[in-house]
Amino acid sequence: MTTAAARAHFQFRVVYVLLALNFLLPAISYATRPEIALGTLDSINRALGGGAITGAVADGRVWHMLAVGNVMTLGFMCALMAFDLRRYYPVLPALAFLKGFSALYSLYIGATAHVP
């Protein structure tokens, strides 16, 4: 591997370790202290002009489980790629799909339901 390639590979690994931590640490927090995650969600929703978080999101464990599972999966996928990019490179399209779909679906809900 050339020096430039080795440097680019190192930079990629650093970024993906940071991304993995960015997802894994909050996922652990969401799993162990869901009231903190719900409080943050409620604060952000109010700051964007929405009301208090109520209903299935505030009361439902299913939504909580899905959120923890989603974020933990993102962290795991980033960690795999940081560990061995060549071996786990096929994870990249799934990672991009998971984040891209979540963002687009969130945009759709916000635009059609007129919520922040």
Side-chain angles (χ1 to χ4, degrees), residues 8-59:
H9 186 254
F10 174 76
Q11 290 171 340
F12 177 89
R13 289 185 80 181
V14 167
V15 168
Y16 270 77
V17 165
L18 293 174
L19 283 171
L21 292 173
N22 178 65
F23 293 123
L24 292 172
L25 296 177
I28 292 167
S29 170
Y30 298 167
T32 60
R33 300 287 307 273
E35 67 277 2
I36 293 173
L38 185 59
T40 302
L41 180 63
D42 185 69
S43 297
I44 291 170
N45 195 56
R46 290 172 191 255
L48 292 173
I53 298 294
T54 59
V57 174
D59 302 330

Side-chain angles (χ1 to χ4, degrees), residues 36-79:
I36 293 173
L38 185 59
T40 302
L41 180 63
D42 185 69
S43 297
I44 291 170
N45 195 56
R46 290 172 191 255
L48 292 173
I53 298 294
T54 59
V57 174
D59 302 330
R61 292 305 237 167
V62 172
W63 292 108
H64 175 250
M65 179 271 310
L66 290 172
V68 171
N70 186 349
V71 176
M72 188 64 77
T73 300
L74 289 167
F76 180 69
M77 293 166 83
C78 288

Side-chain angles (χ1 to χ4, degrees), residues 86-105:
R86 288 189 177 133
R87 182 174 180 187
Y88 295 108
Y89 188 75
V91 170
L92 185 59
L95 178 65
F97 176 81
L98 184 59
K99 284 311 297 171
F101 181 81
S102 294
L104 291 175
Y105 190 57

